[in-house]
Amino acid sequence: MNLEIILHAGLATGTILLFAAIGEIFSERAGVLNLGVEGMMLMGAMAGFSTSLSTGNVWLGLLAALIAGGILSLAHGLVTIHFQADQVVSGLSLTFLGTGLALVLGEGLTGKNPPLVPSFSIPGLEAIPFIGPVFFTNHSLLVYVGYLFAPLAWYYIFHTRPGLHLRAVGEKPDAADTMGVSVYGLRYLYVFIGGCLAGLAGATISLSVSPGWYSAQTTSGQGWIAVGLVIFAQWNPLRAAFGAYLFGALRRGILDLQGPAILLGMKNPLYVNSNFGFFLQMTPYILTILALVIGSRQAARKRLGAPAALGLPYIRGERGL
Amino acid sequence: MTLPFTVLFEKRMDDVPKWLPAATSVGSVVIAFIISGIILKLIGGDPMRVGRFFFDATFASWAAFSDTLVKATPLIMVGLACTVAFKMKLWNIGAEGQFYIGAFAASLVVLIPMVPLDSPKIVIIGLMIIMGMIGGAAWGFIPGVLKGKFGVNEIITTLMLNYIAILWNNFWIFNKWSDAGFQMTPAFPKSAWLPRLADYAREYKAFSGITLHLGVVIALVATVVVWWVLERSRWGYEIKLTGDNKEAARYAGINIVRNVILVMMFSGALAGLAGMSEISGVVHRLQERISPGYGFTGIIVAWLAKLNPFAVVLVAVLFGALIVAGREIQPSGLAQLLQGIILFMVISSDVLLRYKIRIIRLQPATAVEVETA
């Protein structure tokens, strides 16, 4: 159990949640709750894996993952933005649709070896003690992209003009409409971006972190954990990144607990009976619940909450609803 | 370029005709089947052959129809579980986990054992029913309290509890009660089996091979109970009022926190009952993957039935057929894909209940006017 190794692997695992959670933040900041993350991720994992396999080009694979997640999210956009359907139910159907479609199209992909996203070290930075080996040595390109992505997303949402419009659409769509901001257009755009990022998160699994296609086990609920993280992060990309890496490290640490025979000077119960590992496997899900309890209580105390119009369809001409 | 007609959405001022909700549900299913057929065709399958296979495997004979009803039985109960919660706009996505914990709790009756296993059948089965409901209710209690007392989003908590429930079951199956190292407990004694029609094949030849079990009766009783609770009881009124308008419910003095917890428990108990019925009526042991996603399908069943308990029964039969056929149909995700498309069609068609859609032919002259306007 080497802390450097756990944190190193945790960053890679956390990158999956990071992309998915920030994608969901974009969508929810625009007022559209999309519970289809799990389905879009699975679709992205399948499309990325299968495209990389068939073309032999991993970049085309990543592009396919982005597009697959994005296109799938548009179904949710159409149904919730134009047809004003319930966002919860539509998101659930998107999960079914995405999962089903990924399983149908992903038939026969198991056990194949496509080109994967390359890993490399950052020269110079890798020499820093501790920080270097953990953050800058032999990581997938996607992990490095993730480092930059969270601060950029944060800056975009809170400190740019388009970011202001994005928040306005999610907080006060009627006011945004009056100011000439296209509520429908922006909602479609950010739902699409959220879908693209969920697809990328899926490809991060299948083409980088745990390469391969294992049908529904590929994501094993990480899409839902990402949705939970968004609430914990109170719709802030930086908090989401922190949560994602924390979760990634914990997930990895838990895996590594099953290795050593002696733990804290005692015989490791997991070494004696590997079935105790089932309890360890529960921890990410239990932690998600705990994170939600903490996040919800903080939100209640500080009155920091969801975007005001989250989950509500916007209907033109019915202002002040 | 302008189209020769324009489509107008007009907000409905009058009441929705009674037949329309049912018609949109039926229409959604038909369209979903057509879309799935097209997808199947595109990936190189033969939709007609799959369709014929679907019918043969599910409705064509008594034995096939019995299989369909056996799969519909747990779906009725989880569909009711979702119906109860959704009426209050509580998004219980955890019927799957409540199903597993219900099955686990019901198995305890046999595995501990809680009563001597040579007790009369009615004692064992009765206790299993009670334990199954308690188990499911306990699993619904957790998100209920978190939602009611702390305002924690119940969608995520119920979902996380699904994964936890399955792992919890697996621990016991693999660790304590494994049957010779297999991922299942030893088979239950016959005294813990729900009676099946096939058991009476000696007296009635026609029943041989018919696997329909008493669980279907339990499901139908549950349907009537849920209907009565929702439509005739004071509590049902409180549930619906809270679902329609939380503020109004608060002003009416309804204890929302208590109702959130109770409704989640009631919902969980119904899903737990489904778990009990499945292991006692079909599997006859606790094992891995006792549910092919019943809990999730229950969500679609409830929604397609427009939260009407009796409609839940009808829709559950259709989805039971989907599960029966889905076991054999390749590729394996097809049944799930179809479910997703059906759900999408249903929620999209709801727009027809809120808006009238007018298609107006435009004269060439007016078309120009519209363009310039």
Side-chain angles (χ1 to χ4, degrees):
Chain A
M1 288 234 297
N2 182 332
L3 188 63
E4 278 178 15
I5 296 175
I6 292 177
L7 290 180
H8 182 271
L11 285 175
T13 318
T15 304
I16 303 165
L17 292 173
L18 175 105
F19 286 131
I22 292 182
E24 181 68 10
I25 288 176
F26 276 115
S27 177
E28 292 193 17
R29 277 277 172 194
V32 182
L33 174 71
N34 188 350
L35 293 179
V37 179
E38 178 85 0
M40 296 187 293
M41 268 174 79
L42 209 51
M43 199 58 194
M46 186 282 301
F49 190 82
S50 121
T51 308
S52 177
L53 183 71
S54 57
T55 61
N57 184 331
V58 68
W59 310 116
L60 285 178
L62 289 180
L63 186 68
L66 284 163
I67 294 172
I71 288 181
L72 201 57
S73 74
L74 287 181
H76 180 69
L78 178 70
V79 170
T80 57
I81 298 170
H82 261 111
F83 296 162
Q84 298 149 25
D86 191 292
Q87 296 184 358
V88 173
V89 188
S90 172
L92 289 174
S93 20
L94 196 69
T95 298
F96 280 106
L97 188 67
T99 309
L101 206 54
L103 296 187
V104 168
L105 299 176
E107 185 100 332
L109 286 182
T110 313
K112 301 282 172 55
N113 294 306
L116 302 177
V117 179
S119 297
F120 52 89
S121 304
I122 309 266
L125 292 176
E126 64 172 321
I128 309 173
F130 191 72
I131 307 271
V134 171
F135 289 92
F136 300 112
T137 305
N138 201 26
H139 268 306
S140 155
L141 171 75
L142 292 171
V143 174
Y144 299 124
V145 171
Y147 294 161
L148 301 175
F149 193 68
L152 283 178
W154 172 81
Y155 185 81
Y156 178 84
I157 292 175
F158 294 107
H159 294 282
T160 67
R161 203 170 169 76
L164 180 70
H165 289 165
L166 159 62
R167 283 180 293 143
V169 163
E171 295 283 351
K172 280 205 180 323
D174 44 353
D177 200 4
T178 324
M179 299 297 289
V181 175
S182 164
V183 176
Y184 283 13
L186 283 191
R187 285 194 167 178
Y188 270 110
L189 175 69
Y190 287 111
V191 166
F192 181 74
I193 290 177
C196 290
L197 287 170
L200 180 63
T204 307
I205 304 176
S206 66
L207 289 176
S208 172
V209 174
S210 44
W213 172 250
Y214 316 98
S215 50
Q217 269 78 50
T218 312
T219 48
S220 66
Q222 291 188 75
W224 294 109
I225 293 181
V227 177
L229 264 183
V230 172
I231 301 169
F232 169 74
Q234 289 161 5
W235 296 269
N236 180 336
L238 289 182
R239 275 188 70 137
F242 170 73
Y245 290 135
L246 186 68
F247 258 75
L250 283 170
R251 250 181 115 93
R252 264 312 298 213
I254 284 159
L255 268 179
D256 293 336
L257 278 181
Q258 307 189 31
I262 305 284
L263 202 66
L264 307 172
M266 287 180 295
K267 234 179 164 186
N268 183 351
L270 292 166
Y271 204 72
V272 182
N273 184 339
S274 60
N275 285 328
F276 291 130
F278 286 119
F279 289 105
L280 275 190
Q281 287 174 38
M282 288 178 197
T283 33
Y285 309 112
I286 296 174
L287 285 174
T288 307
I289 295 178
L290 288 180
L292 276 184
V293 174
I294 296 166
S296 308
R297 292 204 59 99
Q298 277 189 345
R301 202 170 52 229
K302 292 190 203 157
R303 303 202 175 279
L304 276 173
L310 179 60
L312 303 174
Y314 176 65
I315 307 160
R316 262 201 118 147
E318 287 188 15
R319 273 188 272 136
L321 194 71
Chain B
M1 196 192 86
T2 46
L3 295 168
F5 58 87
T6 182
V7 182
L8 286 183
F9 284 76
E10 286 179 3
K11 191 134 192 147
R12 272 185 196 279
M13 296 301 172
D14 43 350
D15 277 344
V16 175
K18 274 222 165 71
W19 53 267
L20 192 57
T24 54
S25 284
V26 174
S28 311
V29 173
V30 172
I31 294 174
F33 270 94
I34 294 173
I35 294 179
S36 308
I38 294 172
I39 292 179
L40 197 58
K41 186 92 197 166
L42 287 177
I43 62 170
D46 180 353
M48 291 314 283
R49 211 175 59 84
V50 172
R52 214 168 20 249
F53 171 82
F54 179 87
F55 182 76
D56 286 345
T58 54
F59 294 108
S61 69
W62 280 113
F65 189 54
S66 150
D67 282 351
T68 299
L69 288 182
V70 167
K71 292 291 173 201
T73 301
L75 284 180
I76 295 172
M77 291 183 256
V78 290
L80 292 172
C82 296
T83 299
V84 169
F86 291 179
K87 276 268 180 197
M88 202 167 142
K89 295 227 165 66
L90 273 177
W91 301 108
N92 179 14
I93 318 299
E96 184 82 359
Q98 292 144 11
F99 177 100
Y100 272 90
I101 295 294
F104 171 81
S107 328
L108 289 181
V109 175
V110 180
L111 293 170
I112 290 185
M114 293 170 75
V115 284
L117 292 175
D118 50 5
S119 311
K121 202 175 191 112
I122 188 158
V123 174
I124 298 184
I125 299 280
L127 193 56
M128 286 175 81
I129 290 177
I130 293 168
M131 285 298 290
M133 293 182 73
I134 291 177
W139 219 237
F141 174 78
I142 303 170
V145 166
L146 291 177
K147 169 80 176 178
K149 298 256 187 216
F150 303 104
V152 179
N153 185 312
E154 77 279 14
I155 299 172
I156 317 288
T157 49
T158 49
L159 257 159
M160 294 296 118
L161 286 168
N162 288 341
Y163 293 99
I164 296 171
I166 291 171
L167 288 165
W168 170 264
N169 260 14
N170 282 350
F171 170 74
W172 293 102
I173 297 162
F174 280 92
N175 191 50
K176 180 108 174 25
W177 292 307
S178 166
D179 185 19
F182 287 105
Q183 299 143 19
M184 50 176 74
T185 66
F188 295 166
K190 285 237 162 136
S191 53
W193 293 20
L194 285 172
R196 292 189 297 193
L197 283 181
D199 298 343
Y200 303 96
R202 202 171 302 221
E203 291 103 285
Y204 306 96
K205 268 256 150 51
F207 286 170
S208 77
I210 305 283
T211 50
L212 193 62
H213 58 84
L214 194 68
V216 76
V217 177
I218 300 178
L220 292 176
V221 170
T223 308
V224 176
V225 170
V226 167
W227 169 80
W228 187 86
V229 166
L230 288 177
E231 300 300 328
R232 290 286 178 270
S233 77
R234 187 188 148 76
W235 188 40
Y237 173 75
E238 291 188 6
I239 292 174
K240 283 194 291 186
L241 183 60
T242 314
D244 286 344
N245 188 339
K246 213 167 180 174
E247 286 311 307
R250 214 188 300 275
Y251 286 125
I254 293 172
N255 186 338
I256 294 180
V257 173
R258 201 192 60 175
N259 271 348
V260 165
I261 299 172
L262 285 179
V263 166
M264 281 305 252
M265 288 176 72
F266 185 30
S267 177
L270 288 163
L273 188 61
M276 175 274 159
S277 145
E278 196 64 5
I279 54 159
S280 176
V282 180
V283 197
H284 301 141
R285 54 168 33 124
L286 191 62
Q287 63 177 39
E288 258 197 317
R289 298 204 186 91
I290 37 179
S291 156
Y294 287 131
F296 298 109
T297 307
I299 299 165
I300 311 181
V301 169
W303 207 258
L304 198 53
K306 308 268 189 229
L307 307 188
N308 174 330
F310 295 114
V312 162
V313 177
L314 289 179
V315 178
V317 172
L318 170 71
F319 278 78
L322 261 179
I323 291 178
V324 170
R327 278 185 310 197
E328 318 280 334
I329 289 179
Q330 292 295 322
S332 56
L334 202 60
Q336 207 166 10
L337 174 65
L338 189 56
Q339 293 183 17
I341 299 177
I342 290 178
L343 194 48
F344 252 120
M345 289 301 141
V346 176
I347 55 173
S348 311
S349 68
D350 272 357
V351 77
L352 296 176
L353 304 182
R354 272 174 287 134
Y355 292 88
K356 277 183 183 164
I357 294 179
R358 286 242 173 107
I359 296 176
I360 298 172
R361 276 178 206 289
L362 295 177
Q363 301 299 321
T366 45
V368 174
E369 267 171 46
V370 168
E371 202 174 22
T372 51

